[in-house]
Amino acid sequence: QKEVEQNSGPLSVPEGAIASLNCTYSDRGSQSFFWYRQYSGKSPELIMFIYSNGDKEDGRFTAQLNKASQYVSLLIRDSQPSDSATYLCAVREYGNKLVFGAGTILRVKS
Amino acid sequence: NAGVMQNPRHLVRRRGQEARLRCSPMKGHSHVYWYRQLPEEGLKFMVYLQKENIIDESGMPKERFSAEFPKEGPSILRIQQVVRGDSAAYFCASSLTSGGPSDTQYFGPGTRLTVL
């Protein structure tokens, strides 16, 4: 069973700070990685995907991928209280299914 | 509404009854996935379907659960003889293709199933 590991948190950051969310995965052959945000009682919402080593930026979000270390991260700059949610890391397995981590709870305090 | 649609949003069943969950993918999407999220747990893959075909059902419980995606109409996840342990949020996702590295799955609002 392929595994995706995340620190469950909660991760607390002050408003305006950078939030750093981390994820490791067990399958060295994994190619595509996704970050979803899930508010309590709601469905997962896609934030970003990444499949090449390095950084990918989209607005206040930056995804970072290091395949050699089997590590993917999400940075949120200028964190806002509305960013408070659970962040899910997902890895696509062969056959197209997503394997999710348990999620990291982020709390942004104003 | 061009997003993934699911109904009902909330479903209450008594033990032993049947539950039918429906999912209409995003417009133009022909790949449908079902995931289950048990209380205080992560999302778990259940099944992957294309029109009239089950592609991967490796996450489906062996008994009582079935899924279909007919040529016409929504995808259906069916749970027979529900038990309390089936209480969960069931999410449907859809994607445009199945092969590209950037192919992404978009989730519907989910069906919250409660078994009394």
Side-chain angles (χ1 to χ4, degrees):
Chain A
Q1 172 66 30
K2 309 297 190 297
E3 293 185 350
V4 178
E5 300 287 340
Q6 294 182 257
N7 187 323
S8 62
L11 172 66
S12 293
V13 300
E15 184 176 357
I18 295 175
S20 178
L21 305 160
N22 305 314
C23 173
T24 58
Y25 57 95
S26 63
D27 183 7
R28 186 169 290 277
S30 297
Q31 295 295 317
S32 299
F33 308 86
F34 303 83
W35 283 100
Y36 287 85
R37 176 174 62 195
Q38 187 175 28
Y39 293 109
S40 181
K42 302 296 185 181
S43 63
E45 172 191 6
L46 180 69
I47 298 176
M48 292 187 71
F49 65 88
I50 187 168
Y51 54 85
S52 298
N53 273 329
D55 296 359
K56 179 182 179 183
E57 185 174 319
D58 183 0
R60 295 188 296 113
F61 299 98
T62 299
Q64 299 175 317
L65 175 61
N66 184 325
K67 290 185 178 180
S69 300
Q70 295 176 238
Y71 176 91
V72 58
S73 65
L74 180 70
L75 301 178
I76 307 175
R77 290 182 298 281
D78 189 23
S79 295
Q80 301 297 310
S82 58
D83 294 326
S84 298
T86 298
Y87 289 79
L88 305 172
C89 172
V91 178
R92 183 162 66 206
E93 277 196 1
Y94 177 80
N96 219 34
K97 65 183 178 186
L98 295 178
V99 178
F100 284 86
T104 298
I105 298 171
L106 173 66
R107 293 178 181 159
V108 181
K109 298 183 176 181
S110 57
Chain B
N1 185 354
V4 179
M5 298 174 65
Q6 290 187 250
N7 65 81
R9 297 287 298 276
H10 300 274
L11 182 61
V12 178
R13 285 288 179 264
R14 296 189 180 279
R15 283 178 295 171
Q17 292 183 320
E18 178 179 288
R20 286 197 176 211
L21 288 61
R22 297 174 187 79
C23 169
S24 296
M26 285 180 70
K27 187 175 182 179
H29 287 192
S30 60
H31 301 262
V32 167
Y33 314 81
W34 287 93
Y35 293 84
R36 177 166 67 173
Q37 190 169 37
L38 293 166
E40 307 303 323
E41 294 190 18
L43 277 161
K44 303 294 184 186
F45 168 81
M46 299 181 75
V47 63
Y48 165 29
L49 311 102
Q50 292 182 37
K51 286 285 188 181
E52 300 185 278
N53 287 301
I54 296 175
I55 307 302
D56 180 356
E57 56 182 348
S58 60
M60 287 278 271
K62 299 301 181 191
E63 298 178 350
R64 301 187 297 107
F65 285 72
S66 62
E68 63 176 359
F69 190 14
K71 185 176 181 180
E72 300 292 338
S75 174
I76 306 287
L77 179 67
R78 182 184 180 200
I79 311 172
Q80 295 178 291
Q81 300 175 336
V82 295
V83 301
R84 287 196 174 140
D86 296 332
S87 295
Y90 292 82
F91 293 102
C92 170
S94 72
S95 69
L96 183 61
T97 65
S98 66
S102 61
D103 185 43
T104 51
Q105 295 180 23
Y106 296 91
F107 282 78
T111 294
R112 271 78 180 167
L113 173 65
T114 301
V115 179
L116 301 178

